[in-house]
Amino acid sequence: MKIIPITVPFPAAFGIGKAANCYAIKDDQTLLIDAGWDSPENRVALKKGLESIDAWPPETILLTHGHIDHFGLGGYLHELTGAEIMIHKKDAYMLDNYEDYIREWYDKAMVDAIEGGFEAKELEDVRSKLLLVSKVMLKPTSYTEFEELKIELKGGTLKAMNVPGHTPGSVAYTIREEAFCGDAAIENTINVQDLKQEFLSLQKLKVFKNIYPGHDRLPLHSQDIEALETHFINRLDDVMIACRNGATLRQIVEKMYFAGSRDESLIKTIFPIKQTSAYLHYLEGEGAVAKKNGMWFALRGRL
Ligand SMILES: [Zn+2]
């Protein structure tokens, strides 16, 4: 079995994300884990890239989760080659109507944001940009959803392991000592939806020797996963400090991410707001913070 990473760029025009790490697995079958952002340049580059490593056409496209920078080219590859697209049941709906998914995701954040002191017009520009992006993508015409998945390869049994946190249907594809985890473990991530689940998922990932993430440096090892856990705990402490004397969501986000200078780009607005809300909801669940009249208060010194 051979594992070959392929990086698929994030179009600069959108300026809101990072190149995706996709992985070709060559064994008695050729599998592709994630497909990257769909753009005319990426279509050509991914096909050429896979051909150059003798991994064309892939027989199966395994998606780690339902985000556009991971499944995007899946629709195109499926049309061109007939490769089967596989995704966990809980993320499958994102492939059907990405626009609805984004709208729901965004509008939930808007409710928290507006209650927390942001103004709708500050966030609307980014919202319309994201909705536009989801309109122009090619939707996969068919896919197979699973709750459990096993694929027998000559080099071992590939299995899907649910690692929710980033999205409910995030999976790591595991084979022997390797795990391909998509965005379930991204260094210093600011895109975790459910931190409680994320901590449990990191426990599951830690036991693998090589952990291949969906962005940035690869592979990660158990000490990198521990560093990510420490990062989250430090950030939770930062949130507790920020609301020691009571603070709105906006004040907490600004303390956590902007430190005075406010950057209007997407990565610096909606994601920090969502991430800070995720920290607050985790802390609320632990009984460490409480909300009163739109202000968050720390109920003790540290988590
Ligand atoms: Zn993602």
Side-chain angles (χ1 to χ4, degrees):
M1 181 185 70
K2 250 190 175 171
I3 296 165
I4 306 162
I6 302 167
T7 303
V8 180
F10 199 101
F14 295 110
I16 52 172
K18 294 171 173 176
N21 296 332
C22 307
Y23 301 91
I25 310 234
K26 287 177 50 182
D27 199 278
D28 50 338
Q29 304 180 34
T30 301
L31 310 171
L32 179 65
I33 296 181
D34 284 341
W37 189 277
D38 186 12
S39 72
E41 307 79 51
N42 282 355
R43 287 182 179 193
V44 176
L46 183 61
K47 181 170 187 284
K48 269 196 187 153
L50 291 172
E51 278 168 351
S52 74
I53 55 168
D54 200 22
W56 183 266
E59 287 155 274
T60 307
I61 300 160
L62 300 169
L63 299 177
T64 57
H65 63 295
H67 280 162
I68 195 171
D69 53 331
H70 296 265
F71 79 77
L73 274 170
Y76 168 73
L77 290 181
H78 171 74
E79 238 164 64
L80 201 63
T81 68
E84 189 178 7
I85 298 172
M86 313 283 289
I87 186 158
H88 190 277
K89 201 177 159 190
K90 287 189 176 158
D91 272 16
Y93 76 99
M94 300 180 199
L95 306 196
D96 296 331
N97 196 331
Y98 204 70
E99 202 184 332
D100 277 358
Y101 159 69
I102 286 292
R103 188 174 286 122
E104 200 194 313
W105 178 87
Y106 208 97
D107 292 352
K108 239 188 227 163
M110 289 275 266
V111 172
D112 281 350
I114 289 165
E115 189 206 47
F118 289 89
E119 283 172 47
K121 66 173 188 312
E122 295 179 281
L123 299 168
E124 254 148 27
D125 177 47
V126 171
R127 182 180 186 273
S128 50
K129 234 188 233 170
L130 266 182
L131 287 175
L132 188 72
V133 166
S134 38
K135 268 193 193 107
V136 297
M137 57 159 295
L138 181 71
K139 168 178 141 180
T141 51
S142 86
Y143 60 80
T144 304
E145 56 178 58
F146 61 82
E147 250 176 312
E148 284 180 13
L149 178 74
K150 263 187 195 178
I151 299 175
E152 296 299 337
L153 299 174
K154 218 167 120 201
T157 306
L158 182 138
K159 290 182 212 156
M161 173 173 84
N162 189 203
V163 283
H166 177 68
T167 63
S170 281
V171 295
Y173 294 101
T174 67
I175 182 161
R176 296 197 307 212
E177 295 183 289
E178 327 289 325
F180 302 85
C181 69
D183 291 356
I186 299 293
E187 291 185 295
N188 303 326
T189 178
I190 52 164
N191 197 355
V192 174
Q193 275 177 32
D194 185 323
L195 196 62
K196 196 166 184 166
Q197 290 190 327
E198 173 75 10
F199 277 129
L200 295 173
S201 294
L202 292 178
Q203 289 289 331
K204 292 196 224 168
L205 284 171
K206 237 194 261 186
V207 303
F208 290 89
K209 187 175 168 207
N210 295 305
I211 301 135
Y212 296 90
H215 302 278
D216 297 338
R217 184 169 65 87
L218 65 100
L220 302 177
H221 304 293
S222 59
Q223 64 268 29
D224 299 310
I225 303 298
E226 275 157 18
L228 183 56
E229 289 168 329
T230 305
H231 165 79
F232 288 137
I233 288 166
N234 289 337
R235 294 309 265 160
L236 287 166
D237 272 339
D238 291 341
V239 172
M240 301 266 304
I241 292 165
C243 56
R244 192 184 283 154
N245 300 314
T248 62
L249 177 65
R250 181 177 195 133
Q251 287 165 337
I252 303 167
V253 172
E254 287 183 347
K255 256 198 201 134
M256 297 277 292
Y257 293 99
F258 303 129
S261 74
R262 195 163 148 69
D263 185 327
E264 296 295 333
S265 70
L266 168 75
I267 196 82
K268 296 257 160 107
T269 54
I270 195 66
F271 287 113
I273 292 169
K274 289 284 278 190
Q275 184 73 19
T276 303
S277 293
Y279 287 138
L280 284 165
H281 290 134
Y282 178 83
L283 289 168
E284 193 179 28
E286 296 292 306
V289 302
K291 188 162 69 168
K292 243 187 263 160
N293 305 324
M295 303 269 281
W296 288 94
F297 292 87
L299 300 177
R300 50 182 194 250
R302 289 182 69 115
L303 177 61

